[in-house]
Amino acid sequence: MPAKRRKDNDKDSTQKHPNAMRGSGSEGMRGGAMRKTSGMGGSAMSQGGRPGVGDDGPPNAMATRSGQGQRMQTGRAGGGSGGNGGPGGPVPPRRRSCGTMDVHRRLLSESAEYRAARAAIENATLQRVALAPEARFAGVARIPVVVHVVWNTAAQNISDAQVTSQIDVLNRDFRATNPDVSTVPSVFSGLVADSRIEYFLATIDPSGNPTNGITRTSTSTVSFSDDDAVKSAATGGADPWPADHYLNIWVCQLGGGLLGYAQFPGGPAQTDGVVILHTGFGTTGTATAPFDLGRTVTHEIGHYFNLFHIWGDDGTGCAGSDQVDDTPNQAGPNFGVPTFPHVSCGNGPNGDLFMDYMDYVDDAAMVMFTHGQAARMEACIDTVRSSLPDLAARPTPSGPVVSWGASRIDAFVLGKDRALYHKWWDGSSWGPSVTDYEYMGGVISAFRLATTEDAAPREAAEVMAAR
């Protein structure tokens, strides 16, 4: 594997980094350290660096967003199944575009708090990734998701089935169980990683009420951009649920060929989350080729968990870094479905890892995260996003019978439903009911009655073990 090339022509040994501030005289950051940079103007850069629809020019070509309408919330629709498919409205994009770095640079230029947070997060990430894998969280992090469907036309009010199809994609992609991972060239197959992250639609809303994890908001806004308007009811979108306990995903009509964008960890809580064009969401309904396999959301959640684009966001200069050691250096984004090997930046003979989720290829061509990328995401969950996942350890008894006395036996067993069952004997009879503690997100959420036939105390272990 070619080593990740660093920029070596600067006398002060600094490098261009995705987190470096592109505004003249503003504070940016390299790795975890703050530094001065020069180049582009210091104003917000929400329109740069994205090819327009059908643009065959260079990846940094400027694009003009169209279709901005007056923003006004007209109320939340009921939680029905929504529209029945068909893209409707503007022609869906044919080339991948992501607004995450535009949002990142805008926040860097506007917010000293964001700049400081990003520096601290990168320092913490470097320290965490340097530890042995067993020092990171154990098991699987389960992420509660709320999908805010913001629609202007019936087709944009996507179905529940389209939403659940996207959750299914995420669970395969982040656990490396997607069938198309088999298309990874053999020279790269050892890099394929299970990120140990799973997703589920939230079952409890912020007020403690049952939910299906989907909200629906009708809007008069024709299309949104990466200015975060979709994330607020006051500007025609939907307000987020608390970002420290839910991954917020907004699905809407985006303009200017934009497929989606995310906010890196460390940004404002009220705008934290991911925004996706409805035709690039899920695998059914309005999902439209070549972005109909759900990989746009996989890509943007990669950013949400602190992954950069694989080429390091330096244009085509071969000097950027994604801060991951096991991804080959590459010149810039790849589009469509490249042919292996695609060599750039002297990274032959194997070339670019274009099949990585953090490149710009079509959905059918991106199929993997690397071990280094998984380590960065795990470090993010262990640090800045530690309040988000369900990592509560389930109770594990030392054995079926854990205590007894002259006239008391308490028996416990972990059932096949992962609940802990308790049965007690008072010297003459079994207790009539059993408390079953089922942990969801660290909170006792259910009690069940567990019964067995009467049995002698000496049979308690066998009876409970059979439950």
Side-chain angles (χ1 to χ4, degrees):
M1 180 61 57
K4 187 63 63 67
R5 188 163 76 177
R6 302 292 186 241
K7 187 174 182 179
D8 57 7
N9 58 353
D10 286 342
K11 299 301 183 182
D12 61 356
S13 298
T14 58
Q15 69 179 18
K16 186 177 292 184
H17 181 274
N19 285 340
M21 181 59 208
R22 302 296 178 94
S24 176
S26 298
E27 291 293 337
M29 129 180 126
R30 171 185 172 274
M34 307 294 289
R35 74 178 185 80
K36 299 278 186 179
T37 63
S38 61
M40 297 183 182
S43 60
M45 301 168 58
S46 61
Q47 292 187 351
R50 182 179 304 122
V53 179
D55 184 0
D56 292 325
N60 288 332
M62 297 293 286
T64 301
R65 294 195 180 90
S66 61
Q68 296 296 323
Q70 181 182 4
R71 296 184 174 97
M72 178 181 70
Q73 186 185 31
T74 58
R76 176 168 295 170
S81 61
N84 58 1
V91 176
R94 301 291 299 175
R95 196 180 194 200
R96 186 173 303 282
S97 57
C98 165
T100 298
M101 290 306 295
D102 293 339
V103 172
H104 174 58
R105 291 164 184 150
R106 168 168 55 82
L107 289 172
L108 284 173
S109 70
E110 295 174 349
S111 172
E113 183 179 35
Y114 180 72
R115 294 194 295 270
R118 288 299 304 158
I121 289 166
E122 281 304 300
N123 281 331
T125 299
L126 291 172
Q127 294 169 4
R128 200 75 188 174
V129 169
L131 299 175
E134 55 267 24
R136 296 191 287 273
F137 68 82
V140 175
R142 300 185 68 249
I143 309 298
V145 178
V146 54
V147 175
H148 305 287
V149 179
V150 180
W151 58 278
N152 176 259
T153 68
Q156 296 166 13
N157 190 17
I158 62 173
S159 68
D160 289 3
Q162 188 167 345
V163 174
T164 57
S165 75
Q166 180 63 68
I167 301 299
D168 291 341
V169 169
L170 293 175
N171 285 327
R172 290 191 296 267
D173 288 355
F174 280 80
R175 297 303 311 274
T177 60
N178 50 303
D180 52 2
V181 75
S182 63
T183 63
V184 174
S186 60
V187 294
F188 290 140
S189 61
L191 298 178
V192 176
D194 173 2
S195 300
R196 298 190 298 120
I197 304 173
E198 294 179 356
Y199 302 84
F200 65 98
L201 288 170
T203 57
I204 302 295
D205 72 11
S207 298
N209 300 314
T211 180
N212 66 352
I214 304 170
T215 73
R216 298 181 181 277
T217 299
S218 175
T219 183
S220 63
T221 302
V222 175
S223 67
F224 293 91
S225 71
D226 60 16
D227 63 1
D228 291 334
V230 73
K231 300 175 182 179
S232 171
T235 50
D239 292 334
W241 289 8
D244 54 344
H245 295 298
Y246 301 92
L247 164 54
N248 287 272
I249 301 177
W250 289 266
V251 182
C252 62
Q253 179 64 48
L254 290 167
L258 180 62
L259 270 172
Y261 69 95
Q263 181 174 289
F264 284 121
Q270 65 269 24
T271 53
D272 196 16
V274 170
V275 180
I276 305 293
L277 175 67
H278 70 95
T279 61
F281 187 86
T283 61
T284 187
T286 65
T288 305
F291 307 115
D292 58 344
L293 300 180
R295 266 53 192 273
T296 298
V297 185
T298 301
H299 175 101
E300 299 302 342
I301 292 179
H303 288 312
Y304 173 85
F305 282 126
N306 207 28
L307 295 186
F308 299 116
H309 290 133
I310 195 168
W311 66 93
D313 292 284
D314 68 332
T316 58
C318 294
S321 173
D322 62 355
Q323 300 301 301
V324 176
D325 290 337
D326 61 359
T327 55
N329 192 34
Q330 71 181 55
N334 290 290
F335 296 93
V337 182
T339 300
F340 174 80
H342 184 268
V343 177
S344 68
C345 294
N347 62 11
N350 300 326
D352 299 348
L353 192 70
F354 61 77
M355 65 290 306
D356 191 273
Y357 292 124
M358 301 314 294
D359 208 333
Y360 267 11
V361 294
D362 291 351
D363 278 14
M366 53 169 58
V367 299
M368 65 171 286
F369 288 118
T370 70
H371 292 285
Q373 290 173 323
R376 271 188 72 89
M377 291 190 285
E378 291 168 4
C380 182
I381 289 173
D382 274 336
T383 55
V384 65
R385 296 206 185 279
S386 61
S387 65
L388 182 66
D390 170 14
L391 286 173
R394 297 183 184 275
T396 303
S398 59
V401 177
V402 296
S403 67
W404 62 42
S407 59
R408 178 78 180 190
I409 293 178
D410 288 276
F412 295 83
V413 68
L414 194 63
K416 292 182 179 179
D417 59 358
R418 305 299 295 168
L420 184 66
Y421 290 83
H422 172 207
K423 186 74 173 176
W424 57 266
W425 171 268
D426 65 4
S428 60
S429 64
W430 287 103
S433 65
V434 176
T435 303
D436 164 20
Y437 303 93
E438 183 177 17
Y439 282 78
M440 298 294 292
V443 178
I444 295 174
S445 63
F447 297 92
R448 293 199 189 115
L449 182 67
T451 61
T452 71
E453 63 278 8
D454 286 342
R458 61 182 174 81
E459 298 173 330
E462 289 81 4
V463 169
M464 294 308 299
R467 293 297 295 168

